Amino acid sequence: MIHPLSEVRSYSIGPGTKIWQFVVVLENAFIGKNCNINSHVFIENNVIIGDHTTIKSGVQLWNGLRIGEGVFVGPNVTFTNDIYPRSKKYPDSFSKTCIERGASIGANATIVTDRSIGEFSMIGAGSVVTKDIPPYTIWYGNPAVHKGYITKEGTILSLNMKDKEGNFYEIINNKPVKK
């Protein structure tokens, strides 16, 4: 479904993807299947969005951004792709940012370019991410700091790897696993 009030120039859009009104998708962008692209989103040429991903309203996805499968990008999240931007002066190539599978980014967060957001990690609303985020971790603040861990299923763990029921977890193969 592509809303008639959007401007979609790309033919690389997977089946089942919904693109709502006032979305602009440039011709070389790739969007996977069963995605939900909310209103007022801009997607530049060199952008790849994996299957089953949600991009909420007011987000701009700039050249060099790679978004994995099952990612949630909250409303008005800001991405950058040039660490030293100047008007009418373009780098030879734009920096890359990678949001890995299952990650969630809260509303109004800012992701500084050339970063990696690890799989199933969570970034809190309003956070400013200035460094790489390891998988299965929770970060928030300005600048964002490590506040805990999270499992693939969404169980929140404290920094000492304990859930709210008092169960302890350990990291095995980069994933939190209940002891």
Side-chain angles (χ1 to χ4, degrees):
M1 191 276 314
I2 297 176
H3 195 282
L5 293 178
S6 63
E7 182 179 343
V8 178
R9 294 183 179 177
S10 175
Y11 292 103
S12 299
I13 298 172
T17 287
K18 294 179 181 175
I19 297 178
W20 295 96
Q21 65 272 29
F22 312 119
V23 171
V24 174
V25 181
L26 298 186
E27 64 186 14
N28 294 319
F30 176 88
I31 302 173
K33 66 182 178 186
N34 297 317
C35 292
N36 189 19
I37 312 297
N38 287 204
S39 64
H40 298 90
V41 169
F42 177 78
I43 303 173
E44 219 166 16
N45 275 306
N46 184 12
V47 172
I48 297 173
I49 300 171
D51 299 341
H52 313 291
T53 289
T54 297
I55 310 293
K56 297 303 264 182
S57 298
V59 176
Q60 295 84 42
L61 306 177
W62 306 113
N63 285 331
L65 186 59
R66 303 294 182 259
I67 298 177
E69 180 178 335
V71 168
F72 175 84
V73 177
N76 300 305
V77 167
T78 299
F79 294 97
T80 67
N81 69 350
D82 186 349
I83 198 70
Y84 302 108
R86 293 284 190 208
S87 180
K88 305 295 182 191
K89 294 184 182 187
Y90 306 104
D92 292 333
S93 64
F94 289 101
S95 298
K96 305 257 186 280
T97 296
C98 181
I99 314 302
E100 295 182 20
R101 175 176 67 112
S104 293
I105 303 173
N108 295 308
T110 297
I111 312 301
V112 176
T113 193
D114 205 23
R115 299 289 153 235
S116 177
I117 309 294
E119 67 178 354
F120 297 101
S121 62
M122 184 170 283
I123 306 299
S127 296
V128 177
V129 174
T130 60
K131 60 177 84 177
D132 290 341
I133 304 299
Y136 300 94
T137 57
I138 298 172
W139 293 67
Y140 54 90
N142 182 4
V145 294
H146 186 203
K147 297 291 189 170
Y149 296 88
I150 187 165
T151 67
K152 181 178 178 179
E153 299 75 28
T155 302
I156 305 295
L157 309 173
S158 65
L159 282 171
N160 67 355
M161 303 292 291
K162 185 176 175 184
D163 68 17
K164 65 181 180 178
E165 283 82 34
N167 300 305
F168 282 94
Y169 289 67
E170 60 186 332
I171 301 292
I172 299 175
N173 296 327
N174 289 327
K175 298 177 187 178
V177 177
K178 191 186 285 187
K179 285 187 175 184

